[in-house]
PDB file of all heavy atoms in Angstrom:
ATOM      1  N   ARG F   7      61.670 -83.975  39.026  1.00  0.00           N
ATOM      2  CA  ARG F   7      62.800 -84.733  38.985  1.00  0.00           C
ATOM      3  C   ARG F   7      63.916 -83.919  38.434  1.00  0.00           C
ATOM      4  O   ARG F   7      64.023 -83.383  37.311  1.00  0.00           O
ATOM      5  CB  ARG F   7      62.655 -86.131  38.042  1.00  0.00           C
ATOM      6  CG  ARG F   7      63.714 -87.020  38.134  1.00  0.00           C
ATOM      7  CD  ARG F   7      63.610 -87.799  39.398  1.00  0.00           C
ATOM      8  NE  ARG F   7      64.888 -88.447  39.718  1.00  0.00           N
ATOM      9  CZ  ARG F   7      65.078 -89.811  39.395  1.00  0.00           C
ATOM     10  NH1 ARG F   7      64.002 -90.484  39.011  1.00  0.00           N
ATOM     11  NH2 ARG F   7      66.265 -90.411  39.697  1.00  0.00           N
ATOM     12  N   TRP F  34      67.488 -90.263  48.661  1.00  0.00           N
ATOM     13  CA  TRP F  34      68.444 -89.093  48.643  1.00  0.00           C
ATOM     14  C   TRP F  34      68.789 -88.487  47.176  1.00  0.00           C
ATOM     15  O   TRP F  34      68.973 -87.397  46.915  1.00  0.00           O
ATOM     16  CB  TRP F  34      69.828 -89.590  49.329  1.00  0.00           C
ATOM     17  CG  TRP F  34      70.802 -88.348  49.542  1.00  0.00           C
ATOM     18  CD1 TRP F  34      71.986 -88.266  48.914  1.00  0.00           C
ATOM     19  CD2 TRP F  34      70.647 -87.199  50.323  1.00  0.00           C
ATOM     20  NE1 TRP F  34      72.607 -87.129  49.352  1.00  0.00           N
ATOM     21  CE2 TRP F  34      71.705 -86.508  50.232  1.00  0.00           C
ATOM     22  CE3 TRP F  34      69.571 -86.830  51.099  1.00  0.00           C
ATOM     23  CZ2 TRP F  34      71.902 -85.275  50.923  1.00  0.00           C
ATOM     24  CZ3 TRP F  34      69.675 -85.608  51.780  1.00  0.00           C
ATOM     25  CH2 TRP F  34      70.863 -84.907  51.658  1.00  0.00           C
ATOM     26  N   GLU F  40      67.351 -80.935  45.083  1.00  0.00           N
ATOM     27  CA  GLU F  40      66.594 -79.954  45.774  1.00  0.00           C
ATOM     28  C   GLU F  40      67.351 -79.105  46.845  1.00  0.00           C
ATOM     29  O   GLU F  40      67.303 -77.902  46.806  1.00  0.00           O
ATOM     30  CB  GLU F  40      65.291 -80.553  46.503  1.00  0.00           C
ATOM     31  CG  GLU F  40      64.228 -81.074  45.575  1.00  0.00           C
ATOM     32  CD  GLU F  40      63.536 -80.098  44.692  1.00  0.00           C
ATOM     33  OE1 GLU F  40      63.141 -78.985  45.285  1.00  0.00           O
ATOM     34  OE2 GLU F  40      63.310 -80.232  43.529  1.00  0.00           O
ATOM     35  N   LEU F  56      64.973 -70.042  58.157  1.00  0.00           N
ATOM     36  CA  LEU F  56      64.818 -70.214  59.569  1.00  0.00           C
ATOM     37  C   LEU F  56      64.017 -71.435  59.700  1.00  0.00           C
ATOM     38  O   LEU F  56      62.824 -71.457  59.257  1.00  0.00           O
ATOM     39  CB  LEU F  56      64.134 -68.980  60.219  1.00  0.00           C
ATOM     40  CG  LEU F  56      64.744 -67.655  60.137  1.00  0.00           C
ATOM     41  CD1 LEU F  56      63.924 -66.598  61.104  1.00  0.00           C
ATOM     42  CD2 LEU F  56      66.244 -67.706  60.668  1.00  0.00           C
ATOM     43  N   ALA F  57      64.505 -72.494  60.424  1.00  0.00           N
ATOM     44  CA  ALA F  57      63.670 -73.760  60.519  1.00  0.00           C
ATOM     45  C   ALA F  57      63.368 -74.090  61.915  1.00  0.00           C
ATOM     46  O   ALA F  57      64.312 -74.069  62.791  1.00  0.00           O
ATOM     47  CB  ALA F  57      64.361 -74.902  59.805  1.00  0.00           C
ATOM     48  N   LEU F  77      61.492 -69.111  70.390  1.00  0.00           N
ATOM     49  CA  LEU F  77      62.202 -68.016  71.019  1.00  0.00           C
ATOM     50  C   LEU F  77      63.499 -67.700  70.240  1.00  0.00           C
ATOM     51  O   LEU F  77      63.678 -66.540  69.825  1.00  0.00           O
ATOM     52  CB  LEU F  77      62.491 -68.263  72.474  1.00  0.00           C
ATOM     53  CG  LEU F  77      63.306 -67.128  73.282  1.00  0.00           C
ATOM     54  CD1 LEU F  77      62.418 -65.900  73.225  1.00  0.00           C
ATOM     55  CD2 LEU F  77      63.544 -67.502  74.669  1.00  0.00           C
ATOM     56  N   THR F 228      64.530 -92.130  80.216  1.00  0.00           N
ATOM     57  CA  THR F 228      64.295 -90.752  80.681  1.00  0.00           C
ATOM     58  C   THR F 228      63.150 -90.135  79.816  1.00  0.00           C
ATOM     59  O   THR F 228      63.214 -90.367  78.542  1.00  0.00           O
ATOM     60  CB  THR F 228      65.594 -89.941  80.348  1.00  0.00           C
ATOM     61  OG1 THR F 228      66.587 -90.598  81.100  1.00  0.00           O
ATOM     62  CG2 THR F 228      65.443 -88.449  80.752  1.00  0.00           C
ATOM     63  N   ASP F 274      64.614 -87.403  65.326  1.00  0.00           N
ATOM     64  CA  ASP F 274      65.356 -87.661  64.143  1.00  0.00           C
ATOM     65  C   ASP F 274      66.381 -86.560  63.881  1.00  0.00           C
ATOM     66  O   ASP F 274      67.557 -86.896  63.528  1.00  0.00           O
ATOM     67  CB  ASP F 274      64.425 -87.597  62.907  1.00  0.00           C
ATOM     68  CG  ASP F 274      63.429 -88.797  62.977  1.00  0.00           C
ATOM     69  OD1 ASP F 274      63.643 -89.669  63.694  1.00  0.00           O
ATOM     70  OD2 ASP F 274      62.468 -88.721  62.205  1.00  0.00           O
ATOM     71  N   CYS F 292      52.917 -83.073  63.468  1.00  0.00           N
ATOM     72  CA  CYS F 292      52.207 -81.762  63.385  1.00  0.00           C
ATOM     73  C   CYS F 292      51.918 -81.690  61.915  1.00  0.00           C
ATOM     74  O   CYS F 292      52.831 -81.365  61.053  1.00  0.00           O
ATOM     75  CB  CYS F 292      52.912 -80.651  63.864  1.00  0.00           C
ATOM     76  SG  CYS F 292      52.072 -79.040  63.529  1.00  0.00           S
ATOM     77  N   THR F 315      52.603 -60.577  55.074  1.00  0.00           N
ATOM     78  CA  THR F 315      52.482 -59.037  55.341  1.00  0.00           C
ATOM     79  C   THR F 315      51.591 -58.930  56.566  1.00  0.00           C
ATOM     80  O   THR F 315      50.757 -59.902  56.890  1.00  0.00           O
ATOM     81  CB  THR F 315      51.854 -58.374  54.175  1.00  0.00           C
ATOM     82  OG1 THR F 315      50.629 -59.004  53.893  1.00  0.00           O
ATOM     83  CG2 THR F 315      52.739 -58.315  52.901  1.00  0.00           C
ATOM     84  N   ASP F 317      49.157 -55.999  58.516  1.00  0.00           N
ATOM     85  CA  ASP F 317      48.611 -54.669  58.410  1.00  0.00           C
ATOM     86  C   ASP F 317      49.441 -53.686  59.324  1.00  0.00           C
ATOM     87  O   ASP F 317      49.675 -54.017  60.482  1.00  0.00           O
ATOM     88  CB  ASP F 317      47.193 -54.692  58.906  1.00  0.00           C
ATOM     89  CG  ASP F 317      46.446 -53.361  59.118  1.00  0.00           C
ATOM     90  OD1 ASP F 317      47.112 -52.359  59.551  1.00  0.00           O
ATOM     91  OD2 ASP F 317      45.337 -53.318  58.550  1.00  0.00           O
TER      92      ASP F 317
END
Side-chain angles (χ1 to χ4, degrees):
R7 192 71 197 262
W34 188 243
E40 288 291 317
L56 298 189
L77 181 59
T228 299
D274 297 343
C292 174
T315 54
D317 177 315

